[in-house]
Amino acid sequence: MAGQQSQSIQTLLEAEKEAAKVVQQARQYRVQKLKDARSEAAREIEEYKKSKEAEFKAFEASHAGNTQNAQAEVDRETEAKQKEIRAQYESNKDKVVKKLLDRVVLVKPELHRNLEKVAA
């Protein structure tokens, strides 16, 4: 009976070892699958990133001429407005100086309007 019991225990121990091996293999398989999935995802992300980068560079190259043309147009408009402002300055500077001098030199002494209301 003791021999049979010891043989049963031995069989159980062997089955337990075999089950532990199966569980360990399943864990390793799962870990390997996760690593493979991560590396595949990283590769796909890198490919997508490269394709979008190339797409952006193509878009940028096709629109680069437009920005240069727009900048040239803005420069022309700015120059025209500056010329207009300079012309107005030259034509009106004598009038402005005369008005300023008249206001400073020709003073009409009079009471302040609030003072007249209080005195009335």
Side-chain angles (χ1 to χ4, degrees), residues 50-62:
K50 285 180 183 178
S51 71
K52 286 299 178 182
E53 183 84 20
E55 185 180 320
F56 174 72
K57 291 213 183 276
F59 176 80
E60 192 176 43
S62 69

Side-chain angles (χ1 to χ4, degrees), residues 26-39:
R27 284 184 182 149
Q28 287 176 348
Y29 179 76
R30 184 187 64 161
V31 168
Q32 186 61 40
K33 282 291 187 185
L34 284 173
K35 285 181 182 178
D36 292 345
R38 282 189 187 124
S39 64

Side-chain angles (χ1 to χ4, degrees), residues 65-107:
N66 293 344
T67 57
Q68 291 172 351
N69 293 340
Q71 183 64 40
E73 179 65 27
V74 167
D75 289 344
R76 283 192 298 272
E77 288 177 9
T78 303
E79 188 62 36
K81 287 188 184 223
Q82 284 179 344
K83 285 180 182 178
E84 181 182 333
I85 291 170
R86 284 189 191 109
Q88 288 178 357
Y89 165 76
E90 290 297 327
S91 67
N92 294 325
K93 72 178 179 182
D94 292 333
K95 294 176 193 174
V96 171
V97 169
K98 184 175 180 334
K99 277 187 179 181
L100 285 172
L101 286 175
D102 287 346
R103 292 288 180 173
V104 171
V105 175
L106 303 175
V107 178

Side-chain angles (χ1 to χ4, degrees), residues 1-14:
M1 178 121 165
Q4 188 180 12
Q5 233 180 4
S6 122
Q7 187 178 2
S8 296
I9 291 174
Q10 190 65 29
T11 306
L12 285 173
L13 287 174
E14 287 174 10

